[in-house]
Every structure is written in structure tokens, then in C-alpha cells.
Amino acid sequence: MTMTTATTVLTARALLLDMDGTLVNSDVVVERCWRGWADRHGLDGDEVMKVVHGRQGYASMAVLLPDRPMEQNHADNARMLAEETADMEGVVAIPGAPEFLASLAGVPHALVTSADVALSNGRMAAAGLELPDVRVTAESVGASKPDPEGFLKGAAELGIAPEDCVVFEDSGAGIAAGRAAGMRVVGIGPRAAFHRPDVVVRDLTEVRVETVGDGTVRLHIG
């Protein structure tokens, strides 16, 4: 799928927002941490980077080291989260993210991220972004994206039916999770274009939020 050129209008009652790659560009940190992990385990860094975006760390490890006991993945994931939380160098906002979040005042929305509380708080702060009031983090779910649990939980906490929610995502795992939740998906950035979301934009400068009096939101995309 190519980047959209004509404007698409989607109508929704709530928005569910991924963090990394969608609101925050943390790619430099993710690359540093995961390429180091790949080296320690004798894995090809490029192949590892194809897997890790959008998933919780333990789930990525389970894909990459299928024979390793899951308890080792969880322990290793805790170390990785601490490493990533300590490294905010190069973390910046996705273009348009501050304005996009400001335009959501009064609009039901939630952050749905594979990061834990400490990492999501740290990265949003490093990028200078306000945290949404409703947040679904790694601690909140039993299954990582591409499982739809996080998005379904976000919709439930907002009190909005899944079919009335629009997901904003950049990764294959996240886009699959949004689709599995029965939601429409706006893909953000070049990574998203490979995973067939409903519409793709370069960044959040290409999204305009219009509130309608009956509680619905029109998203002008493109």
C-alpha cells in the first residue's frame, strides 16, 4: 500500500493510540538495545529488527528464540525494559504529534502501548507529549500485540464499542491487533505501509480531527 494522496474521512467515537512509532520516534533507542541483545545471542540484528516493533519484549524473544523457556524471556524482558527506560537519548515526537494530541481535548482516546508504565511515561516526557488520561500498558494485559486484548481493553475503559474506534499504529503486530479487535486502523509511517491498514499517512501532520456535536469525530486523513 502506498501513502495516501487523496483525503480520506473516517468517522469514529474514540481513538486508540499506539506510542512508539506512532506518537514517539524511539527507533534509535530500540535499535541500540535490540541490536545489542541480538549480538549477545548470536542473532542477525537485521532479522531481529524485523520482529521487535510493536510487540512486548518477551513476545519478540519467544519468536526469535522459540526453544527458550518463557520464564527466561520474561526475566530478559525485565532487563531490556530497564535498559530502554534508562536510555532516552534521541527520543523525539513524531511530526504533528503535539498538535494531534492537543486536538483530542474532549475526544475519548487512550494510549495502548506494549511499553510498561515507566517506559511509556519516560518516552512521552522525553518527547514533550502529554499522556492521555486512559492508558493501557504492558502491565494491563496478559497477551502482547498482535493479540487484540490491549485495544479491546482500551475501548472498554472508554465505554466505546470496538467498531466505533479507530486505531493509530505503525507496526505489523499493532495493525494486526487493531484488525483482530474489529477496529479500523490508520497506519503511521513507512513501516505501516507493508501491513495493509485501512489508510496510511507519513506522520500525524496529515491527520486533522474534527469534532461533531453528536459525540462523533471526523478524521480527515491525507
Side-chain angles (χ1 to χ4, degrees):
M1 179 179 283
T2 56
M3 300 293 178
T4 183
T5 50
T7 300
T8 299
V9 178
L10 297 179
T11 302
R13 300 185 74 84
L15 309 183
L16 301 176
L17 315 173
D18 174 51
M19 181 181 72
D20 292 302
T22 300
L23 298 173
V24 172
N25 184 343
S26 56
D27 280 0
V28 291
V29 180
V30 175
E31 289 264 348
R32 273 198 296 271
C33 292
W34 279 98
R35 285 186 183 278
W37 182 89
D39 288 344
R40 291 193 296 274
H41 292 86
L43 298 173
D44 180 85
D46 291 342
E47 294 304 312
V48 167
M49 295 314 302
K50 291 176 185 175
V51 170
V52 300
H53 291 292
R55 290 181 170 87
Q56 290 191 44
Y58 74 84
S60 297
M61 293 169 189
V63 172
L64 293 160
L65 297 173
D67 297 327
R68 191 166 78 158
M70 190 56 85
E71 57 266 27
Q72 282 184 243
N73 294 337
H74 281 287
D76 210 358
N77 184 44
R79 288 189 291 270
M80 286 286 288
L81 283 170
E83 184 181 340
E84 290 185 85
T85 304
D87 185 355
M88 292 294 158
E89 186 179 344
V91 173
V92 295
I94 292 288
E99 298 81 3
F100 174 71
L101 287 171
S103 75
L104 298 184
V107 175
H109 65 287
L111 188 73
V112 181
T113 175
S114 294
D116 64 4
V117 169
L119 184 57
S120 56
N121 288 357
R123 283 189 178 159
M124 290 288 281
L129 299 176
E130 293 286 330
L131 278 165
D133 291 335
V134 177
R135 301 184 287 277
V136 179
T137 60
E139 296 93 339
S140 310
V141 297
S144 169
K145 299 171 185 176
D147 191 283
E149 181 185 357
F151 287 125
L152 291 172
K153 185 159 191 172
E157 290 198 23
L158 294 170
I160 305 294
E163 61 268 24
D164 292 327
C165 296
V166 170
V167 166
F168 285 72
E169 263 286 0
D170 72 300
S171 72
I175 291 166
R179 285 198 177 287
M183 300 171 183
R184 290 153 295 158
V185 182
V186 176
I188 307 294
R191 242 190 329 258
F194 295 104
H195 301 288
R196 304 187 64 170
D198 293 278
V199 63
V200 187
V201 292
R202 184 185 305 106
D203 55 42
L204 291 167
T205 64
E206 298 182 353
V207 180
R208 183 170 64 85
V209 179
E210 177 194 3
T211 54
V212 184
D214 62 356
T216 61
V217 176
R218 287 196 193 103
L219 300 169
H220 299 265
I221 300 163

